[in-house]
Amino acid sequence: MEVVAKSKAHVVLDACFQESGQFFTDHERLMRCNPFCSNVRYLPSYDIFQWIFQVDDPRNNPFMAIFFVRQQEHPFSLDDEYGKNFVEKRIKNRERYNGNGKRIYWEPVQEPPADVVLPKPAENGRSFVGTASSDICLLHHHDNKTSVYFDTNITMDFDISFPLNLMPEGVLRFMTEAVMSQVMQQATEAMLCKVQADMGCASSGLLPTE
């Protein structure tokens, strides 16, 4: 059964745009702020990153989730095509921003490289290879603070065993996606709080997604 989980978060960092950009483009350092990520490594031969997450399935049984992503990054303006689309989707009031932004995109790698040895789960454990993508947008404030918009989607294909396989698949998928999205949201928020602490920022808390 394929399930899709999503999270959205927005935080204002009491840090300059350049410093924030340097932190968020440091992929391994950033992923180590995620409480569920037990390992992250760069595979230079393929220019991709491998994540290993320790999570629970719908029956609270622990398992290993493995993801591969490729990082891309580029500056943008709120007046260019990407910026205008972003404003339309996520921003209600653009007056606080000076118009400069940076996009960091984690592109999903659909199939792991054939010669990459996948880690084995603990005894009696299971592992799944999923796909993940994140869109991280940094926007520069007039007061030199930085807004970070962090959106993530993951897709996983679960093997459903008895007695869960007796439930209608649509109901089970809805329940599973709701639980996974809640866990992802909590992980993203915890991750951004850890980023604030690591950067020495005063905690302003997470803001409602616009």
Side-chain angles (χ1 to χ4, degrees):
M1 180 183 70
E2 186 176 89
V3 297
V4 179
K6 301 179 180 182
S7 68
K8 290 180 179 288
H10 173 209
V11 67
V12 175
L13 298 177
D14 187 23
C16 72
F17 183 69
Q18 182 178 359
E19 180 185 3
S20 300
Q22 290 172 346
F23 193 107
F24 277 85
T25 54
D26 188 339
H27 190 105
E28 293 177 85
R29 183 182 182 188
L30 180 58
M31 285 304 299
R32 291 190 186 104
C33 294
N34 189 305
F36 293 104
C37 185
S38 61
N39 183 268
V40 54
R41 65 172 180 143
Y42 179 58
L43 306 176
S45 299
Y46 303 98
D47 189 30
I48 62 176
F49 293 89
Q50 175 187 276
W51 305 342
I52 299 176
F53 280 59
Q54 304 293 339
V55 290
D56 292 337
D57 70 10
R59 299 183 66 186
N60 293 320
N61 297 312
F63 71 93
M64 179 186 295
I66 305 168
F67 303 96
F68 295 88
V69 299
R70 178 174 288 106
Q71 178 165 306
Q72 302 178 14
E73 54 193 76
H74 63 81
F76 69 92
S77 163
L78 292 181
D79 295 319
D80 64 24
E81 182 177 0
Y82 176 81
K84 289 178 179 177
N85 289 335
F86 185 81
V87 169
E88 182 178 351
K89 292 178 182 178
R90 295 298 302 275
I91 296 176
K92 294 180 180 178
N93 178 14
R94 59 169 289 177
E95 296 303 316
R96 75 184 76 171
Y97 306 116
N98 72 3
N100 296 321
K102 182 168 189 173
R103 183 192 185 201
I104 303 163
Y105 178 57
W106 296 344
E107 175 188 2
V109 175
Q110 299 298 331
E111 295 290 339
D115 60 346
V116 172
V117 179
L118 299 179
K120 295 182 179 180
E123 187 176 357
N124 299 324
R126 296 178 300 158
S127 64
F128 298 92
V129 178
T131 59
S133 65
S134 289
D135 219 342
I136 308 167
C137 288
L138 281 61
L139 293 176
H140 194 184
H141 288 223
H142 288 296
D143 61 3
N144 212 31
K145 294 182 180 180
T146 304
S147 267
V148 180
Y149 293 82
F150 202 131
D151 299 352
T152 299
N153 295 343
I154 67 168
T155 301
M156 296 196 67
D157 196 355
F158 284 103
D159 294 325
I160 304 302
S161 58
F162 181 85
L164 289 177
N165 58 7
L166 299 179
M167 296 178 61
E169 185 172 311
V171 173
L172 183 58
R173 178 181 291 108
F174 176 81
M175 294 172 56
T176 303
E177 289 182 344
V179 170
M180 288 181 59
S181 293
Q182 182 180 28
V183 171
M184 279 181 58
Q185 187 68 33
Q186 293 170 346
T188 302
E189 292 175 1
M191 184 179 184
L192 291 174
C193 288
K194 181 68 165 59
V195 168
Q196 285 183 308
D198 285 3
M199 294 183 67
C201 299
S203 178
S204 58
L206 296 174
L207 303 176
T209 55
E210 294 181 304

